[in-house]
């Protein structure tokens, strides 16, 4: 069962099938997908990913994945999940560019961290960020994440691993 989380301006709740178009639009925006996973994917792959949220992640209760809504409109995506890359739980989030620059990213990241420490009882929470994604690195630094190591990806790019403790 995925809990619903609320912040001052955001509602994080489980996806519903009607969210597919907004989810796909978010993940198809190159300004967003550049920083997600392995980068931009095909629309077909993003729609398949949306389907797997229901058939795999929710069905098997693997980890928490949320639609991020502001005033009833889907403006982002969030998750907290176990990750072998970091040896613990990692937060993942994305906001539509229209929501950038208004502090919503900080609000969202703080909600995920609070869920990790509070509900999940974690001793630390991790994040992985592509080295060129300066905005996310600054945001996470402001809310107490510390750079602990780097991962060199197969293509030679660097992913920063950041950790926050309570």
């Amino acid at each position: 069962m995925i809990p619903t989380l609320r912040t001052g301006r955001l509602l994080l709740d489980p996806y519903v099938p009607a969210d597919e178009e907004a989810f796909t639009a978010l993940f198809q925006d190159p300004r967003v997908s550049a920083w997600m996973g392995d980068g931009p994917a095909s629309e077909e792959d993003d729609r398949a990913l949306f389907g797997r949220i229901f058939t795999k992640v929710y069905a098997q209760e693997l980890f928490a994945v949320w639609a991020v809504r502001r005033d009833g409109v889907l403006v982002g995506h969030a998750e907290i999940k176990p990750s072998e890359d970091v040896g613990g739980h990692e937060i993942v989030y994305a906001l539509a560019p229209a929501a950038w620059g208004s502090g919503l990213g900080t609000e969202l990241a703080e909600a995920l961290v609070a869920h990790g420490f509070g509900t999940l009882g974690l001793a630390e929470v991790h994040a992985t960020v592509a080295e060129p994604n300066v905005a996310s690195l600054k945001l996470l630094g402001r809310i107490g994440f510390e750079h602990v190591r780097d991962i060199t990806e197969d293509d030679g790019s660097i992913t920063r691993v950041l950790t926050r403790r309570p």
Side-chain angles (χ1 to χ4, degrees):
M1 181 76 180
I2 306 296
T4 295
L5 308 180
R6 294 180 192 280
T7 71
R9 298 176 288 171
L10 299 172
L11 171 69
L12 285 68
D13 64 353
Y15 282 102
V16 295
D19 291 326
E20 183 174 357
E21 294 308 316
F23 173 95
T24 302
L26 176 70
F27 277 69
Q28 283 293 295
D29 188 317
R31 297 167 293 179
V32 174
S33 62
W35 308 117
M36 298 295 288
D38 294 325
S42 70
E43 181 177 338
E44 180 182 348
D45 286 347
D46 285 339
R47 288 186 187 280
L49 174 64
F50 184 77
R52 284 193 305 278
I53 290 171
F54 295 95
T55 61
K56 189 171 182 185
V57 178
Y58 289 168
Q60 297 175 29
E61 297 182 5
L62 297 179
F63 53 89
V65 176
W66 294 276
V68 178
R69 303 178 204 283
R70 182 171 187 198
D71 300 326
V73 176
L74 191 138
V75 296
H77 171 85
E79 43 190 90
I80 185 167
K81 63 183 181 181
S83 167
E84 290 181 13
D85 289 342
V86 299
H89 279 69
E90 176 182 6
I91 63 169
V92 176
Y93 59 91
L95 286 171
W100 293 356
S102 60
L104 291 175
T106 300
E107 204 171 303
L108 178 55
E110 286 280 28
L112 296 173
V113 168
H115 178 73
F117 291 144
T119 305
L120 301 180
L122 302 176
E124 54 188 22
V125 175
H126 307 277
T128 56
V129 181
E131 184 181 39
N133 190 350
V134 175
S136 283
L137 290 169
K138 283 183 179 177
L139 182 159
L140 293 167
R142 278 195 309 271
I143 65 169
F145 278 81
E146 295 178 0
H147 175 236
V148 292
R149 65 184 170 90
D150 290 335
I151 298 170
T152 302
E153 303 294 349
D154 292 341
D155 65 2
S157 65
I158 301 294
T159 297
R160 300 230 181 261
V161 177
L162 302 120
T163 300
R164 179 168 159 187
R165 291 172 183 87

